[in-house]
Amino acid sequence: MAHSKFSSPVFALLSALVIGLIAPLGIPAAAAQGVAGLSVEERAWLAENPVIQVGSRMDWPPLNFYAREPRGLSVDYVNLLAGKLGLEVTYLSGLDLPSLLSEAKHGRLDVLPNIESLSGRQDYLLFTPPYESTPIVVVSSLQRSFVSGDELRNYHLALPAGPAGSAYKELLERQYPGIRVTFYEDSLGALRAVASGKVDATLGEHTLMQYLINRNFLTNLRIGEPGTAGVSDVIDLRLGIRKDLPLLHSALTKAMGSVTEAEMAALRERWFAAPKDGLDVSRSQELATLQGWIITGFILGFWCSR
């Protein structure tokens, strides 16, 4: 009996290679991988609502940002959960956090990643347990002695313009009246002001500070120990789900429980690791995946033309 080229062991091997290349991109599987403990009601809701709308921030690397498409650890994490539940994700990008919160409040978004559970938000969002935490840290020059929270009262600080910087300023002024603060366009601008000696230090989330320092090779800066910033020590990052979607909330929470330590370690390695040989880690992985696709395409084309 003759065998088709597409049923040969070679084609099966090539298909496995393609699947292996797709998986790291976070493309959801065609069907749910299975999450233990889903109720009949949850399964029915997922079957009736196969697409969820997720908000994506513009400028919070490496957790959530936009660079030709939504990217970051939180985006990969949501895609991972969606794959486990057999859901497709569409992202709303290009808005700042207050605008995304407004979209969710008015029922135009289903899920918001990397969100803190604050009292005002609990009126319209259900929150999952944290999937990642990031401490608030002080960043100063290597030439300066270590800066702790109590020393900040004597320093000139750079802060990013916007809601986060204003919130830091309010907290700092409450603790250290008269502290000097200068606002810069964004967190990278604040870090560069510290690196150039224009100011003494800046504050920010550890993951963001580490990412920006690594990516921009600001090698003359040091990150202080977590817990020494003198403001809120840790930000717990959660998924916020519309309050009128309790079955989606419970299904996502159960999917979070199925995420393995190896899966989270792979996400952290991708987004938190320092650049290698001057190339951003996430970008180098994308290039490697693209090269794999090209090679596989050549092999498939050659085999199918025989």
Side-chain angles (χ1 to χ4, degrees), residues 27-35 38 43 46 50 79-88:
I27 298 175
Q33 297 173 14
V35 174
L38 286 176
R43 291 183 182 278
L46 294 171
N79 288 340
L80 176 64
L81 299 182
K84 290 176 179 290
L85 294 171
L87 292 172
E88 180 183 341

Side-chain angles (χ1 to χ4, degrees), residues 61-62 137 139 191 204-217 221-223 271-275:
V137 293
V139 181
L191 286 170
E205 301 91 353
H206 182 274
T207 50
L208 175 61
M209 297 293 100
Q210 189 70 69
Y211 180 86
L212 293 174
I213 289 170
N214 288 343
R215 188 179 178 89
N216 294 279
F217 303 101
L221 297 181
R222 82 165 84 221
I223 295 178
W271 292 107
F272 295 165

Side-chain angles (χ1 to χ4, degrees), residues 5-17 299-300 303 306:
K5 293 174 186 176
F6 297 98
S7 63
S8 70
V10 174
F11 187 79
L13 176 60
L14 291 173
S15 299
L17 284 172
I299 295 172
L300 282 172
W303 180 257
R306 290 179 59 187

